Amino acid sequence: MLQNTMRTKLSLIENSGKQLLANHIADVFFVEPLFDAMPDLVFFVKDTQGRYVVVNQTLVSRCGFKDKEQLIGCTAAEVFPASLAESYSEQDELVLQKGYDVKDQLELHLYPDRDPGWCLSNKIALRDKDHQIIGLCGTSRDLGMPDQRHPVYHRIAAAVRHIHTHFGENVPMVELEQITNLSVAQIERYFHKIFSLTPRQFMIKVKLDAATAMLVDRQRSITDIAATCGYQDHSAFSRMFKSTVGMTPSEYREVLLSTTKCE
């Protein structure tokens, strides 16, 4: 009882301190210069219309611009390919209309001025004092290189090789247990520590890496690529692809081929 009372008092003190500091901050976007210094992190704030209000220099550069003013006020539809912009806008609507949080969602981003890159995305709604949604804030962090110094890396690496070798199958966790001699809980924990991904996210990444490489070959049908990646149901493959990449396999193929032509 006494401990609960102490926690409550400490919480009140901390909250009052935060509020006092917030009331005296001249610029609520004081963190913008900090995000500008992070080349592996995209940061942005959007209004209720989905227009960029605050962006960091990383996002500006990846969108092919030089100055932030070129991106401020733009919507996704004015920056990204139509199919990709539609997916981003749908995701924004879930945040802006329903207050839905996007947390560590694995995504393959295709920026106009950059090669495709994997990242973990987060989005949260911004609310006013009356708890009404007035915008959203988001980040997308590039997936870094695995931490090979981790003491269990060699065991997890064996699991990774198995996943890569059998990307056309749905690898059950029991197989990874046998290969690593670790429990499911341990595998999940170490995957996250080493790769910043869950085993399931890693398996999806491996499948999509293979799929996107095959999509460059127009002679290969989407159905064939889906089957090669372990999806007998073409529609299931397309749904998974769109939820992660933001567009269907066919749309992604067209973007890739048009980009190649431009080069």
Side-chain angles (χ1 to χ4, degrees), residues 91-118:
Q91 191 180 70
D92 288 351
E93 282 300 301
L94 287 175
V95 180
L96 293 169
Q97 299 300 324
K98 299 183 179 180
Y100 175 76
D101 285 349
V102 176
K103 183 174 176 58
D104 283 343
Q105 180 165 323
L106 179 66
E107 295 179 337
L108 180 62
H109 279 192
L110 184 64
Y111 291 102
D113 198 38
R114 188 170 182 264
D115 291 334
W118 288 98

Side-chain angles (χ1 to χ4, degrees), residues 57-255:
Q57 195 59 43
T58 302
L59 178 58
V60 173
S61 299
R62 292 185 181 184
C63 287
F65 299 126
K66 292 183 178 179
D67 303 313
K68 292 183 179 181
E69 289 70 23
Q70 295 175 276
L71 189 53
I72 299 298
C74 293
T75 63
E78 296 171 294
V79 179
F80 298 97
S83 52
L84 196 57
E86 182 181 355
S87 175
Y88 290 162
S89 297
E90 289 174 355
Q91 191 180 70
D92 288 351
E93 282 300 301
L94 287 175
V95 180
L96 293 169
Q97 299 300 324
K98 299 183 179 180
Y100 175 76
D101 285 349
V102 176
K103 183 174 176 58
D104 283 343
Q105 180 165 323
L106 179 66
E107 295 179 337
L108 180 62
H109 279 192
L110 184 64
Y111 291 102
D113 198 38
R114 188 170 182 264
D115 291 334
W118 288 98
C119 65
L120 290 174
S121 294
N122 293 270
K123 289 182 182 178
I124 59 172
L126 297 177
R127 301 176 185 271
D128 62 16
K129 293 181 179 180
D130 296 322
H131 208 60
Q132 298 299 308
I133 295 176
I134 57 174
L136 66 82
C137 178
T139 61
S140 289
R141 177 171 55 85
D142 294 348
L143 284 181
M145 295 297 292
D147 182 6
Q148 298 185 15
R149 297 170 299 175
H150 195 283
V152 191
Y153 175 79
H154 69 283
R155 293 201 200 180
I156 298 301
V160 167
R161 286 193 294 272
H162 184 74
I163 292 172
H164 275 282
T165 304
H166 299 84
F167 73 89
E169 306 170 14
N170 293 317
V171 179
M173 289 298 292
V174 65
E175 288 186 13
L176 301 187
E177 284 184 290
Q178 295 169 351
I179 292 170
T180 61
N181 197 28
L182 296 170
S183 68
V184 171
Q186 288 175 315
I187 292 172
E188 291 178 342
R189 183 166 67 252
Y190 291 137
F191 254 88
H192 198 272
K193 282 183 176 294
I194 294 171
F195 297 101
S196 298
L197 297 173
T198 65
R200 181 177 179 279
Q201 286 177 320
F202 190 89
M203 291 177 196
I204 290 175
K205 178 182 179 299
V206 171
K207 287 178 181 291
L208 289 186
D209 278 338
T212 53
M214 287 183 274
L215 283 169
V216 179
D217 182 2
R218 190 182 283 275
Q219 301 303 313
R220 297 198 66 166
S221 69
I222 303 299
T223 300
D224 175 49
I225 294 174
T228 303
C229 293
Y231 290 87
Q232 300 307 317
D233 183 350
H234 172 276
S235 60
F237 171 71
S238 294
R239 285 195 301 272
M240 182 276 296
F241 196 99
K242 185 171 183 179
S243 68
T244 306
V245 181
M247 60 180 79
T248 65
S250 298
E251 292 169 336
Y252 187 82
R253 166 177 274 168
E254 293 305 315
V255 171

Side-chain angles (χ1 to χ4, degrees), residues 35-42 56 58 62 114 142:
F35 285 115
D36 281 337
M38 298 180 181
D40 63 340
L41 182 77
V42 162
N56 73 336
T58 302
R62 292 185 181 184
R114 188 170 182 264
D142 294 348

